[in-house]
Amino acid sequence: MYRNRVRPLLALLLLVLASLACIPGTERVIGEVTCVDDGYLFGSGTQYICYCPTDGKAYRGGELSSPTLRGIDPARLKTLACSDPFAQTFIQDPALDLAPTEPPTEAPTEASASTEAPTDPAPLKPYLTGAFTACDNTAGYVNFSIAENAPAYDPATFKVTFNGYPVNCAPAANNPSVLTCNYPPPSYAPPAGVQVFIGEELVNEFDFNGGAICDSAPQPNNPGSEDPQLEQPASTEPAATEPSSD
């Protein structure tokens, strides 16, 4: 009967001695990690706080019991000591993973620095004044006045139309301020809507209503001369300026 009482007392004494053997504050070094005795927890044994070797801080993942530390892999212990499972964060060894950095920003170029939309070029000025200096319904031509500040143009992109029909035009050889245009075939007489294009841009749009003013003067009946209607007069500006009906 006495022996049955002594055995529990001896077991309790051994447990007390075992707990006293683990003095709080005792350090254990496993690999790169230093673990400090944090006291005895009933049911789990001696508890340790293991410090992360990369920054010296104690994370929740480094709170381990003595049985867990027994035979643990040093690399695994380092991972646990540097992690906080409750915050879902993980600090890797800086030798294995560099800290994330922001992607380099490219220096703005001259093209990208300006956020303003490109502006359309200014419209071209009118090429003709809309007035004419001479015309001839029989010969089939008219001389238009070129504007003083008429824009320059590429002859390949210059186009004049009468009622939408393209016509042949060119500056007069003896007067660069006059544009001579031949009527389109077949025989033509005003009125007509005149349009002038430089490239795709419409620079003039007006009506040419010469009418009877452009009728040729009667020619004397001379049997020895050719039919005056078959003669093509020189498309130059006459000495006298004809009045305009505009």
Side-chain angles (χ1 to χ4, degrees):
M1 186 71 177
Y2 177 74
R3 290 181 179 179
N4 292 337
R5 292 179 178 179
V6 171
R7 287 179 180 177
L9 292 176
L10 291 175
L12 181 60
L13 180 60
L14 292 175
L15 182 61
V16 171
L17 292 175
S19 63
L20 292 176
C22 299
I23 302 174
T26 302
E27 294 184 357
R28 291 182 59 182
V29 178
I30 302 175
E32 300 179 51
V33 181
T34 298
C35 299
V36 179
D37 186 344
D38 193 41
Y40 182 83
L41 181 64
F42 183 77
S44 299
T46 303
Q47 296 297 303
Y48 285 87
I49 297 178
C50 299
Y51 292 87
C52 178
T54 58
D55 57 12
K57 296 181 180 180
Y59 293 91
R60 297 292 296 273
E63 298 178 1
L64 304 172
S65 63
S66 179
T68 303
L69 292 177
R70 189 178 300 117
I72 192 171
D73 180 66
R76 171 62 178 168
L77 176 60
K78 180 180 178 180
T79 300
L80 293 174
C82 296
S83 64
D84 187 350
F86 296 96
Q88 297 182 352
T89 59
F90 181 78
I91 302 177
Q92 296 183 353
D93 190 338
L96 301 177
D97 187 19
L98 297 177
T101 58
E102 297 182 359
T105 56
E106 297 181 358
T109 61
E110 293 182 1
S112 61
S114 176
T115 58
E116 298 181 358
T119 57
D120 294 331
L124 296 177
K125 295 180 179 180
Y127 182 77
L128 299 177
T129 64
F132 63 94
T133 61
C135 60
D136 192 321
N137 290 337
T138 302
Y141 77 92
V142 58
N143 286 345
F144 290 116
S145 296
I146 299 176
E148 183 178 356
N149 295 321
Y153 65 91
D154 180 356
T157 66
F158 186 77
K159 182 174 68 173
V160 180
T161 63
F162 280 28
N163 291 334
Y165 194 98
V167 296
N168 294 324
C169 298
N174 63 340
N175 192 345
S177 65
V178 170
L179 182 73
T180 299
C181 294
N182 295 323
Y183 292 173
S187 59
Y188 167 86
V194 179
Q195 290 183 321
V196 181
F197 296 87
I198 296 179
E200 299 296 329
E201 187 171 348
L202 177 66
V203 295
N204 277 107
E205 187 170 23
F206 59 88
D207 290 333
F208 166 51
N209 299 319
I213 300 174
C214 300
D215 290 338
S216 300
Q219 299 293 324
N221 187 8
N222 186 355
S225 64
E226 297 181 359
D227 187 347
Q229 294 186 358
L230 300 179
E231 295 180 358
Q232 176 67 32
S235 55
T236 58
E237 184 180 6
T241 302
E242 298 287 346
S244 173
S245 62
D246 292 350

